[in-house]
Every structure is written in structure tokens, then in C-alpha cells.
Amino acid sequence: MGVDTGEQNARVHSDARRFWTVLGLIVVVALAVRIVFVLTVAQHDDGFYDAAYYQLQADANADGRWFTNPFPFVENPGPAADHPPLTAIVLTPVSALWRTDNVLQMRFLMSALGVGVVVIIGLLGRQVGGDRVGWSAAALAAVYPYLWVNDGLIMSETLAAGLTAAAVLLTYRLRARPGVPLAVGLGVVCGLAALTRAELALLAPLLVIPTAVGLRSLNTSTRAVLAVVVLAVTAIVVAPWTLWNWARFDEPVLISTNEGIALLGSSCPNVFYGSATGLTDLGCLPDPSPVGDQSVQSRAYRDDALEYIGNNSARFPVVLLARAGRTWSVFRPADMLTVNEGEGRPRWVTGLGLAFYYPMVVLAIGGVVIRIRRRASVWPLIVPAVVVTVGTLIAYGQTRFRVPAEPSIVVLAAFALVALSDRIARSRSAALPVEGAPADAGAARA
């Protein structure tokens, strides 16, 4: 006799309530960690780095000067696209509500979004491994320093982590239930991710094309439609920003004008040779800057960088390895204690993050191996690492560039932890004597 449908539904609802109850408790911990960091550490940060741009750009937007150069020391400010726009747009309502002294409110907003990232990571873990993997992944994300430290800063990393994790989650759901609505949702998320960090424009093709190819239960035309929908929606989300930039700048600007600075800052003697190999040095930029708007300057920087790389091509492979090694903390990781300090991340947080990171990477690699052995899909979880590495090779090495891949590391580590826990439980169960049987062979012979 089959199980009553009502009984099945009740069990499903009960399991869902239990999942969300436990996840809610984890969220409370995640929020507490982030608020404590903001109130005790982050709010005292007064460094001048990218966070200043996001804050001042949000203020300029709230004043109606949408994406014009926000720095007060700039005379005759022109159009600005120093960074992709989404982070400043998200912060703009805070600037509109608090016209002055709004930095703390911005930090609280980013912390709230960081808690949302924990929830998405929990859902992703549940999608790929069940409730326990979801809880484990969320718990790791709640206390992982390389996640919560960014949530206390006014930077793009929180949005990048959340949107990347959401894109991977939607990819797995699209694999499970192929359909146009999920394809549209994935395209929207990938487009927003590209408007957060330019290299995340690679997410859409790297996620959807292999997924479409792998949906062998569908005919070729249906798979093609799903892939086209994701890519087209991604382009539609990005297009208004790109078209506006082309109208207001002298040179074409796809997402931001920052690539020229990133290229030239990482293509000069200071970071091609010596102990700083693979890093960036803004002292490499010419003073005064080239004449023209940001797009013209970016092109000039890009041309100079490519010329330098061409003149030092024999050294370039070493530099590329150093960049990747720094981002993944396998080359001179202690250097990041100082580098990160200049961007609002105290030395102790970077050190604590490394202590968390290395065991989790080992577990994540184990998670990849386990999923491969079980013939479970692993590519969507690996895509963020591929995107991060490509972006690093183009720009320079920095652990914060790794943040979009951190949710995958956390989920894969959680998957491995649960698998290891299950294996230990099975071993202990097998070692227990069967009730009514002799304790051992010796006892049987006696």
C-alpha cells in the first residue's frame, strides 16, 4: 500500500519548517558576527581606497549627479564609471535617507546583504546535498572571516559573493527543472553580477552553455533556447549601462573604465620583478594623467600596459603565476596581511581568514572528488573559481578578488564534512556487535 499523499505533504512541510528554523538560528549568529565587527572595528576605518568611491558616488547619485566624478578635489567633474555601477546604486537610497554621516548606515546595509549571502549559501548547499549540507554551509559562511570582513566594508565583494552564489543555485535548479522562467532568472542574476564586478560577465556563458549541453533529456532546439534566453537576458540587463556609457564617453566603455588602471598598475617594474611580483602599484600610473575623460585615460593606460608586457614578455608567465598564487594564497600569503590592511581589513582578520581558508580548501577539494565519484554535477560550483582566476590573470593578485568563489568553497567543504560524518557513522555502526551474537570470534569459540 502506498503512502498517503497528505502524509507525504505533511512530512515535506515539516522538513521545510525544520530546515528554515535551523537556518534562521544560523542567520542570527551571522548577523551578530557582522554587527559586532562593524561596531568594534569597521566603523573606525578611515582609509582612502575603493570604498570611498562607492560612498561618494552614492552621495552624488542621491544629489542627482548620477555617475559623475564624485571626488571633491576634482575640478569640473565629468562622467564616471570607475567601477561597475550596482554597488553604488544599492547604496544610493542610504545616501538619500541620510544626507550626511551615512557611512555607518552603509556598513549596516552591506552587513544585512551579507546575511542574505549566508542564506543563499545555505540554499545552495541544500540544493546540492540536502538539509545537513545546507546547514553546514550556512554555518561556515556565518563565521568565515573572508566573508564577514567584506560585509563590514563599503565594497562590491558582498554583492559579488551573493549574486555568484545565486547564479550557481539557479543553474542547479535549471538543471533539475528546465524552463524559461528559471533561465530568465539566471540571466537577470548574471547580468547584475556583471554590473557588480566586470569579470563576472563570464558567469553566464560558463554556467549555461555546459548546462544546456548536459540536459540530454531535452531536444537540441529546447536546450539552445534555454541557453540563448540566459545569454540574451544577461545582455539586456547590462545593455542600458553600456549604451549610456558609449553616449557620454569619448571611447567605448562596456562596464567600467577601471581596466586601464588595473592593467597599468600591474604592468611595471615594481610588480613585475622583486618581492611585489603579482601585485599592483598605482605609483606606476603617469602624473599628470593623460588628457581626456576616463575612457580616454583608460585607453592610454591600457596601451602603455600592453606595450610594457610586450617588452617584458619573457617575464610575463612568471607574473601570471604570481598573480594567481596570491589570489589563491599559495604564493607569499603573508604579504596580504599588509596589503589587506590598506583596504580596511585588519591584519588579525586576514590571519584568521587564512587559518579558516586552508582547511576549507582541502575539504572543498575532497568535496569535488566525492561528487565526481558519485557522478554528481560539480562544474557549476567550479565556475566561480575559473572566473576569479581569469580576472586575476588579467589584473593582479589579491585575496578579495577570490570572494565570488568563496561560496563554492564553503558549500563543497560542507558537502565533504557531511560525507565524512556519514562515513564515520557507518563505520561505527558496522563495528557494533549484532544483538544476540557473540561479542567476538573468541567468545564464539568459548
Side-chain angles (χ1 to χ4, degrees), residues 392-446:
T392 291
L393 295 178
I394 294 173
Y396 56 93
Q398 165 56 287
T399 51
R400 71 178 173 88
F401 293 162
R402 193 177 68 218
V403 170
E406 301 284 15
S408 288
I409 293 174
V410 168
V411 169
L412 286 167
F415 188 86
L417 281 173
V418 171
L420 180 62
S421 173
D422 289 342
R423 182 172 182 177
I424 292 173
R426 288 194 299 269
S427 297
R428 288 178 176 176
S429 177
L432 293 175
V434 179
E435 185 177 353
D440 54 34
R445 286 192 298 270

Side-chain angles (χ1 to χ4, degrees), residues 272-366:
F272 253 57
Y273 302 90
S275 61
T277 299
L279 292 174
T280 187
D281 181 3
L282 295 183
C284 299
L285 273 60
D287 187 18
S289 302
V291 177
D293 65 22
Q294 287 186 354
S295 68
V296 174
Q297 293 173 358
S298 181
R299 178 173 179 175
Y301 294 153
R302 185 170 62 247
D303 292 344
D304 289 347
L306 294 176
E307 180 180 359
Y308 182 85
I309 293 171
N311 294 335
N312 295 269
S313 57
R315 178 68 176 174
F316 194 45
V318 175
V319 174
L320 293 178
L321 289 174
R323 291 174 182 175
R326 288 187 183 278
T327 293
W328 293 104
S329 297
V330 294
F331 175 64
R332 298 180 64 95
D335 288 354
M336 286 297 154
L337 297 174
T338 301
V339 172
N340 284 340
E341 196 172 23
E343 294 185 340
R345 300 168 182 84
R347 295 174 67 90
W348 67 267
V349 175
T350 299
L352 184 62
L354 286 173
F356 271 74
Y357 169 72
Y358 290 121
M360 285 217 302
V361 165
V362 172
L363 285 169
I365 293 171

Side-chain angles (χ1 to χ4, degrees), residues 81-118:
D82 303 69
H83 298 280
L86 189 62
T87 303
I89 291 173
V90 168
L91 292 169
T92 297
V94 176
S95 292
L97 292 172
W98 288 273
R99 304 299 290 181
T100 59
D101 298 327
N102 53 27
V103 175
L104 183 60
Q105 287 79 8
M106 289 184 179
R107 295 189 192 281
F108 283 140
L109 172 60
M110 299 307 289
S111 296
L113 294 174
V115 172
V117 174
V118 173

Side-chain angles (χ1 to χ4, degrees), residues 67-339:
F67 292 100
T68 56
N69 196 309
F71 296 107
F73 53 78
V74 175
E75 297 182 6
N76 303 317
D82 303 69
H83 298 280
L86 189 62
T87 303
I89 291 173
V90 168
L91 292 169
T92 297
V94 176
S95 292
L97 292 172
W98 288 273
R99 304 299 290 181
T100 59
D101 298 327
N102 53 27
V103 175
L104 183 60
Q105 287 79 8
M106 289 184 179
R107 295 189 192 281
F108 283 140
L109 172 60
M110 299 307 289
S111 296
L113 294 174
V115 172
V117 174
V118 173
V119 173
I120 295 171
I121 290 173
L123 293 174
L124 175 57
R126 187 191 195 196
Q127 182 73 34
V128 301
D131 286 1
R132 289 192 300 147
V133 175
W135 293 328
S136 300
L140 289 172
V143 298
Y144 184 29
Y146 283 163
L147 287 176
W148 56 252
V149 69
N150 296 295
D151 299 339
L153 306 178
I154 307 171
M155 297 279 277
S156 64
E157 275 69 38
T158 297
L159 288 172
L163 289 167
T164 302
V168 176
L169 172 61
L170 287 173
T171 299
Y172 274 107
R173 290 186 174 177
L174 183 64
R175 290 174 56 90
R177 299 187 304 276
V180 171
L182 278 173
V184 171
L186 178 56
V188 170
V189 169
C190 288
L192 293 175
L195 293 175
T196 303
R197 293 198 60 87
E199 67 270 20
L200 297 182
L202 295 173
L203 279 176
L206 290 179
L207 285 172
V208 72
I209 294 175
T211 296
V213 170
L215 293 173
R216 302 191 183 279
S217 60
L218 304 179
N219 59 51
T220 302
S221 61
T222 301
R223 287 183 282 170
V225 166
L226 292 177
V228 169
V229 167
V230 173
L231 297 175
V233 171
T234 300
I236 289 170
V237 171
V238 175
W241 173 251
T242 300
L243 293 174
W244 187 40
N245 285 336
W246 283 12
R248 64 198 186 114
F249 287 109
D250 292 337
E251 296 285 340
V253 175
L254 293 176
I255 294 178
S256 80
T257 59
N258 196 49
E259 83 280 357
I261 294 175
L263 283 170
L264 186 55
S266 61
S267 302
C268 62
N270 294 353
V271 290
F272 253 57
Y273 302 90
S275 61
T277 299
L279 292 174
T280 187
D281 181 3
L282 295 183
C284 299
L285 273 60
D287 187 18
S289 302
V291 177
D293 65 22
Q294 287 186 354
S295 68
V296 174
Q297 293 173 358
S298 181
R299 178 173 179 175
Y301 294 153
R302 185 170 62 247
D303 292 344
D304 289 347
L306 294 176
E307 180 180 359
Y308 182 85
I309 293 171
N311 294 335
N312 295 269
S313 57
R315 178 68 176 174
F316 194 45
V318 175
V319 174
L320 293 178
L321 289 174
R323 291 174 182 175
R326 288 187 183 278
T327 293
W328 293 104
S329 297
V330 294
F331 175 64
R332 298 180 64 95
D335 288 354
M336 286 297 154
L337 297 174
T338 301
V339 172

